[in-house]
Amino acid sequence: MDRKTAKIQGFNIDLLSFKDALNYITDNIINNKGMHIVTVNPEMIELAHKDKFFSEILKNADLVVPDGVGIKIALKLKKIAQEQVPGVDLAKELMVNCAKNGKNIALIGAKEDIIKKAEENLKKDIINLNIIYTHNGYFSEEEESEIINKLAELNPAVALIALGAPKQEIFINKCKEKLKQTVFIGVGGAFDVWAGVVERAPEIYRKLGLEWLYRTIKQPQRFKRIYKTLPLFLFKAIIESVKK
Ligand code: UDP
């Protein structure tokens, strides 16, 4: 597929609707075409400005979908209408498609009780879901090598990695060399949602692009992260749109 992208502060964002992203990735899964999908938000762009290694990983990703509303706003400032593609929803729909097409998945990340609960709930929700490997997200470097070797041996069609950014993207980058047929997605706090310990924002918040506000009210510790990055990101987005 020729990528239709727009640049936000030097980084390509793929301009695909949720449905088109889902179909495109599903085709790749069915055809055993490995890829790295990043579900990007403003905090990640800000981090990439400071961290060369992370910046390269972002630039080398095969698909970068706009997860955060801040990215949608930055595109809007450039007069590009783009819907948000929430990673947590995209990953779930991909699992549904994996189950339908006999493709297996691996889940890595979050605390042990969370990943177990998420696995249990997902299996209840999605018939024929074939989860072939899970591991919590708290491991040493030595254990990391073992996990990557195990993944290489199992060769899952999809691996959902929930370590938060940039850990998950760095982990995926390490896996890519050995797992060329696996579709990797960094899914942040998705396992906490599927385990039922973190609620998704109600529909009205999501429609208004205010999921971040809801999550910040529920988890005030997130405020520190957002206020450090979001205003600066939006300021740069305005400057970029004016310059254009
Ligand atoms: N996490 C992990 N290992 C780590 C650090 C974090 O598995 O070393 C998990 C954490 O338990 C949580 C997820 O990564 O499930 C990060 O969630 P967060 O809400 O920060 O991600 P976001 O959705 O904001 O990117």
Side-chain angles (χ1 to χ4, degrees):
M1 178 190 79
D2 283 337
R3 284 172 76 179
K4 189 175 169 232
T5 59
K7 270 210 176 11
I8 293 294
Q9 299 169 29
F11 297 95
N12 278 329
I13 312 290
D14 285 273
L15 304 176
L16 284 177
S17 66
F18 183 92
K19 197 164 153 271
D20 288 346
L22 179 65
N23 290 341
Y24 171 61
I25 302 163
T26 301
D27 277 351
N28 279 3
I29 295 171
I30 291 170
N31 294 310
N32 302 315
K33 277 197 200 155
M35 62 191 299
H36 179 189
I37 301 153
V38 174
T39 63
V40 78
N41 61 35
E43 292 154 52
M44 290 159 83
I45 301 275
E46 275 307 304
L47 181 68
H49 289 314
K50 295 187 207 120
D51 183 331
K52 184 98 186 71
F53 184 59
F54 184 57
S55 159
E56 285 307 308
I57 294 179
L58 214 55
K59 284 181 178 163
N60 288 328
D62 301 293
L63 199 70
V64 181
V65 298
D67 180 282
V69 70
I71 305 289
K72 180 178 162 172
I73 294 169
L75 289 167
K76 185 104 190 169
L77 285 166
K78 292 184 139 191
K79 305 206 164 39
I80 300 166
Q82 166 64 42
E83 69 182 24
Q84 251 178 287
V85 182
V88 60
D89 298 330
L90 183 65
K92 184 125 186 221
E93 290 306 316
L94 285 171
M95 283 191 278
V96 170
N97 287 352
C98 281
K100 280 185 195 154
N101 289 286
K103 294 287 179 181
N104 54 30
I105 69 161
L107 305 177
I108 295 169
K111 301 207 174 93
E112 184 65 22
D113 54 331
I114 298 284
I115 191 170
K116 287 292 161 218
K117 189 70 194 161
E119 181 183 17
E120 190 187 314
N121 288 346
L122 287 168
K123 280 183 177 163
K124 269 190 219 151
D125 263 18
I126 304 171
I127 359 158
N128 294 331
L129 182 65
N130 186 11
I131 300 175
I132 54 166
Y133 180 70
T134 64
H135 199 291
N136 67 60
Y138 296 85
F139 41 77
S140 63
E141 262 184 46
E142 200 180 314
E143 286 167 320
E144 182 182 76
S145 305
E146 284 166 20
I147 294 168
I148 296 174
N149 287 339
K150 189 72 194 167
L151 281 177
E153 183 192 315
L154 294 169
N155 197 28
V158 172
L160 304 183
I161 313 298
L163 307 173
K167 259 193 181 172
Q168 59 201 17
E169 284 73 28
I170 294 169
F171 177 80
I172 292 170
N173 192 53
K174 283 184 191 161
C175 294
K176 268 161 81 171
E177 191 59 35
K178 287 192 178 168
L179 286 116
K180 297 203 187 296
Q181 296 180 324
T182 300
V183 170
F184 284 94
I185 317 179
V187 290
F191 295 0
D192 301 81
V193 174
W194 297 330
V197 289
V198 170
E199 268 176 75
R200 272 317 283 290
E203 185 82 19
I204 181 78
Y205 282 81
R206 283 190 254 164
K207 280 218 168 109
L208 294 172
L210 291 174
E211 181 151 25
W212 61 274
L213 177 64
Y214 186 83
R215 289 178 78 189
T216 311
I217 295 167
K218 288 275 175 180
Q219 297 170 273
Q221 68 275 19
R222 297 183 75 89
F223 182 70
K224 219 165 94 194
R225 269 171 40 175
I226 290 181
Y227 96 89
K228 273 191 186 160
T229 53
L230 196 60
L232 183 60
F233 172 83
L234 291 176
F235 180 69
K236 286 182 189 164
I238 292 167
I239 301 278
E240 194 179 29
S241 71
V242 171
K243 270 189 186 163
K244 262 299 228 171

